[in-house]
Amino acid sequence: MKIAVCLRRVPDTAEADVKVDGTGKGIVEDRLAFTINEADNYALEEALLLKEQRDAEVSLVSVGPKEADEVLRMGLAKGAAGAVRIDDKELQGSDGLALAEVLAAYFRKNPVDLVFTGCIAQDVEDSQVGPALAQLLGWPHTSYVVKLDCGDERMTVRRELEGGFLEVKDIARPAVVSIQTGGNTPRYASILGIKRARTKPLEALEPGAIDLDTSKAGEAGSRTRLERLYVPEVVSAAEMIEGDVSEKAGRLADILKEKGVS
Amino acid sequence: MSGIMVLAEHRHGDLRDVSHEVLSAARNLAEKTGEQVEAVLLGQGCDEMAQRLAAQAHRVIHAEHPAFRDFNYETWQQALVRLVKGREPSIVMIPHTAFGTDLGPSLAVELGVGIVSDAIGFEPGPDGLKVTRGVYGGKLNAERFISTTPALVMVRQSHFKPDQPGLEGEVVNWDPGDVGSGLRTRFISLEEVPSTGIDITKADVVVGIGRGVKEEKNIGPIREFAEHIGAVLAGSRPVIDAGWLEKERQVGSSGKTVKPRVYIALGISGAFQHVAGMTGSDTIIAVNKDPHAPIFAVAHYGIVDDLHKVVPALREKLA
Ligand SMILES: Cc1cc2nc3c(=O)[nH]c(=O)nc-3n(C[C@H](O)[C@H](O)[C@H](O)COP(=O)(O)OP(=O)(O)OC[C@H]3O[C@@H](n4cnc5c(N)ncnc54)[C@H](O)[C@@H]3O)c2cc1C
């Protein structure tokens, strides 16, 4: 069985000061650290677990700039056999569906049995690529998957619904499965793995090399367009407690005592 | 081409709140565009739900079919493609939920239309719809423009108030034709995550910890502090994903909703999926070292500092 995992390189913005750049449509990147998209990391783990259970080969695909090679190397170090990066220089402004078009073009040329994606990208937060990719390929999909049991032809998945419910489904292959966080424990790369990754194939492809219909990608090929990014207006601002740690703790203790908590 | 079409979501024989929320978002927008709101209900044995939707829509398109007994994006998609092509709405709204996001993107591909996820605001214009949504964990908003008709939007849950009844729409029974054949996915069952007896929803005081605690071993002093003030310990999703706390202690859209008297958020950024589960708390106190953390937009009191310094100092003051 051939398994592919789609990996996205994203900025780690949880603790960073995120500033809109001069174009109004991007963020200032120079002081940000980049990493593998969190849900994709779980998707990769699911693929590697499957590889260990069955006779399967895991490859990686990323649409991104040169720097995305780092994320792919990390995936290779964890156990994937090979990786491909589709350069996105000419694909700027692609929305979720346009990105799915790029990946679909790649998989039409390089068929696999099963594609894993993360269920959401932590930067754009769209949750679109997996299901859209499946539709373009004419395959079924399933999303928010936290558990997958793989049979010879079909798979049983558990999808997470709101409110503490799991939906149990059965799905045929080939398929695209979008993985939610928490269903497994992503491994760390071993020193040996990192060493081995250096010699594993990591290929960079231009969109032309995958026979992409470029009228379907990039900003011009997208049916939605980013107009601007901005810092949301804060409606109800908190009362900020100032001072040194001891003063802050003192004031907070008073507030808690006032509320009958101590 | 006109009208705003809203897909209703239901589970266990009842409409989900998000259906009413999306309908009221649609009503607000329809008032600006002078259009009508059409609710779409696909199901089996849903007459009563159709009547309730009619109070929030100018028309309810109601299809009964055995294939709609359990949710499957494939059957819903088969019906919606037919319905949208036939009725030519200008906008189609779907809940941004596990139900809606499983359906929306592939539906958009099949219809050849643009889609925006997790919408929180709408601005109609002469040549398309402008949609506002959060990005980067809520640190920024993005405005996206959809150039196709219809425009497809998935609408954030727990964002719009589910009010605005007062309409008496007609319920139209619609025959969806051939649906449910050629499926490659099959619904098996709904499972409830087994309970281990922990219940954070009844607590008077909740201490919520986030990824900012950094390591499992840092939880000890926080647990002791929580016990000291009689609080229940809860967490954001990453803390649960990492296995540091039990799943029943997760606060948020895919966890529990808590409404304690006091909620203390330690090292939680304030992503909307978390906020959805604690915004009803009487008093929210947030400690976060990032002054721009979105949690401060919902907190009543905020401290910008290292939680690992604030917690011990606070513990001492409350000794
Ligand atoms: C379908 C879906 C459902 C989801 N459901 C939920 C849900 O139910 N509940 C939920 O919580 N999330 C949920 N999420 C995830 C959600 O989107 C966020 O990723 C998550 O809430 C982030 O958790 P966090 O705030 O702990 O971590 P982060 O966003 O990483 O934030 C960590 C915070 O800690 C601060 N920090 C770091 N070190 C310190 C320190 N020493 N002192 C003080 N502050 C510090 C940082 O400044 C940062 O603000 C869901 C996501 C999806 C896609």
Side-chain angles (χ1 to χ4, degrees):
Chain A
M1 179 162 56
K2 281 190 162 172
I3 305 174
V5 187
C6 302
L7 298 183
R8 183 177 174 91
R9 171 186 181 261
V10 292
D12 188 354
T13 53
E15 293 175 32
D17 187 7
V18 185
K19 289 205 177 75
V20 180
D21 69 12
T23 69
K25 296 184 184 190
I27 59 169
V28 179
E29 293 190 344
D30 31 301
R31 286 171 63 195
L32 296 177
F34 283 77
T35 114
I36 177 171
N37 181 50
E38 187 183 16
D40 301 358
N41 203 25
Y42 285 88
L44 172 60
E45 181 62 30
E46 204 60 39
L48 295 173
L49 291 172
L50 203 51
K51 184 188 80 158
E52 284 156 12
Q53 279 166 28
R54 304 180 75 92
D55 185 21
E57 187 185 272
V58 176
S59 63
L60 311 173
V61 186
S62 184
V63 180
K66 176 86 184 113
E67 292 80 6
D69 284 353
E70 259 171 66
V71 164
L72 292 170
R73 281 267 177 245
M74 203 193 302
L76 292 173
K78 289 189 188 193
V84 167
R85 178 175 60 83
I86 302 161
D87 196 85
D88 72 347
K89 228 187 290 78
E90 291 160 27
L91 306 172
Q92 295 303 309
S94 294
D95 67 5
L97 262 50
L99 265 180
E101 289 278 1
V102 177
L103 290 165
Y106 173 77
F107 288 120
R108 280 186 202 112
K109 270 202 105 168
N110 303 276
V112 295
D113 304 293
L114 179 58
V115 174
F116 284 109
T117 72
C119 70
I120 188 169
Q122 69 200 57
D123 49 357
V124 296
E125 303 188 39
D126 271 344
S127 295
Q128 292 181 5
V129 170
L133 169 62
Q135 186 68 31
L136 288 167
L137 293 170
W139 297 357
H141 70 260
T142 183
S143 59
Y144 295 104
V145 169
V146 289
K147 190 170 189 326
L148 179 137
D149 295 296
C150 187
D152 288 337
E153 269 147 41
R154 302 181 70 96
M155 302 171 291
T156 305
V157 297
R158 281 172 169 72
R159 327 180 42 226
E160 192 180 86
L161 308 184
E162 298 83 12
F165 285 91
L166 295 174
E167 183 183 287
V168 189
K169 286 198 82 165
D170 161 89
I171 177 169
R173 281 197 299 277
V176 180
V177 177
S178 301
I179 299 286
Q180 168 65 306
T181 60
N184 57 42
T185 305
R187 69 194 64 192
Y188 291 96
S190 65
I191 307 275
L192 184 65
I194 293 169
K195 238 188 211 162
R196 279 196 187 135
R198 289 191 200 127
T199 58
K200 288 184 179 173
L202 195 168
E203 195 183 356
L205 296 175
E206 293 298 320
I210 54 168
D211 301 339
L212 175 69
D213 176 354
T214 46
S215 72
K216 289 183 173 162
E219 184 169 291
S222 294
R223 297 188 285 250
T224 73
R225 186 176 72 229
L226 178 62
E227 296 275 275
R228 68 178 183 119
L229 290 174
Y230 64 96
V231 180
E233 209 179 301
V234 174
V235 193
S236 74
E239 177 190 329
M240 299 309 283
I241 301 170
E242 312 285 345
D244 63 22
V245 171
S246 168
E247 285 161 357
K248 286 172 180 162
R251 171 90 178 91
L252 190 49
D254 291 342
I255 292 166
L256 287 174
K257 281 180 197 155
E258 239 170 69
K259 312 258 170 222
V261 180
S262 58
Chain B
M1 295 201 190
S2 89
I4 302 176
M5 190 180 266
V6 173
L7 177 64
E9 176 173 346
H10 53 96
R11 193 196 289 168
H12 291 141
D14 202 2
L15 290 165
R16 299 198 67 227
D17 292 347
V18 69
S19 301
H20 301 294
E21 296 162 13
V22 181
L23 275 168
S24 69
R27 278 280 292 289
N28 289 334
L29 180 57
E31 268 160 32
K32 289 191 209 164
T33 63
E35 289 178 295
Q36 295 211 324
V37 173
E38 222 167 62
V40 175
L41 177 66
L42 310 178
Q44 195 187 26
C46 294
D47 288 340
E48 190 265 335
M49 286 187 230
Q51 292 307 323
R52 273 197 292 142
L53 290 172
Q56 273 192 294
H58 298 94
R59 195 172 305 99
V60 180
I61 311 275
H62 177 199
E64 287 278 321
H65 196 288
F68 298 144
R69 202 191 58 177
D70 301 301
F71 174 67
N72 181 325
Y73 84 89
E74 291 187 278
T75 26
W76 260 248
Q77 191 167 315
Q78 289 169 344
L80 285 170
V81 165
R82 223 165 275 157
L83 192 60
V84 171
K85 284 187 176 159
R87 299 197 68 83
E88 302 189 331
S90 62
I91 297 166
V92 179
M93 292 188 177
I94 291 180
H96 186 99
T97 54
F99 159 87
T101 52
D102 204 38
L103 167 69
S106 52
L107 178 64
V109 168
E110 205 177 338
L111 289 170
V113 303
I115 179 169
V116 170
S117 303
D118 199 21
I120 54 173
F122 307 94
E123 193 59 49
D127 36 34
L129 181 69
K130 207 158 69 179
V131 181
T132 306
R133 44 100 21 109
V135 289
Y136 298 104
K139 287 199 165 171
L140 298 180
N141 276 353
E143 268 175 17
R144 292 198 78 91
F145 178 78
I146 308 180
S147 57
T148 59
T149 308
L152 190 49
V153 283
M154 300 195 286
V155 181
R156 179 179 293 184
Q157 189 179 6
S158 311
H159 183 79
F160 294 96
K161 293 217 160 48
D163 48 7
Q164 288 198 344
L167 288 179
E168 283 177 51
E170 54 166 339
V171 176
V172 180
N173 292 317
W174 175 63
D175 176 1
D178 175 28
V179 287
S181 54
L183 303 183
R184 297 148 305 169
T185 65
R186 192 167 55 86
F187 173 89
I188 298 175
S189 63
L190 275 191
E191 279 179 359
E192 193 159 8
V193 180
S195 164
T196 56
I198 298 166
D199 186 2
I200 62 170
T201 65
K202 306 256 158 44
D204 199 34
V205 184
V206 174
V207 171
I209 57 174
R211 184 148 39 201
V213 302
K214 289 278 150 64
E215 284 180 69
E216 187 172 13
K217 66 171 172 47
N218 295 337
I219 296 175
I222 302 173
R223 189 186 305 265
E224 195 276 327
F225 164 71
E227 273 163 18
H228 181 71
I229 62 167
V232 156
L233 197 59
S236 67
R237 180 163 189 132
V239 168
I240 279 71
D241 284 349
W244 298 345
L245 293 179
E246 300 90 341
K247 183 75 183 168
E248 284 106 315
R249 294 186 193 270
Q250 182 181 317
V251 172
S253 60
S254 55
K256 300 284 191 237
T257 299
V258 296
K259 292 179 179 169
R261 233 158 25 84
V262 180
Y263 186 89
I264 307 176
L266 303 173
I268 292 176
S269 63
F272 77 90
Q273 293 99 336
H274 185 81
V275 169
M278 46 68 89
T279 185
S281 310
D282 292 342
T283 301
I284 298 169
I285 297 164
V287 181
N288 195 303
K289 65 179 189 187
D290 175 9
H292 302 292
I295 191 78
F296 292 126
V298 295
H300 302 97
Y301 299 97
I303 290 182
V304 177
D305 214 318
D306 183 347
L307 73 94
H308 302 301
K309 293 190 184 130
V310 174
V311 172
L314 183 58
R315 173 71 182 83
E316 213 167 277
K317 304 271 180 202
L318 292 173

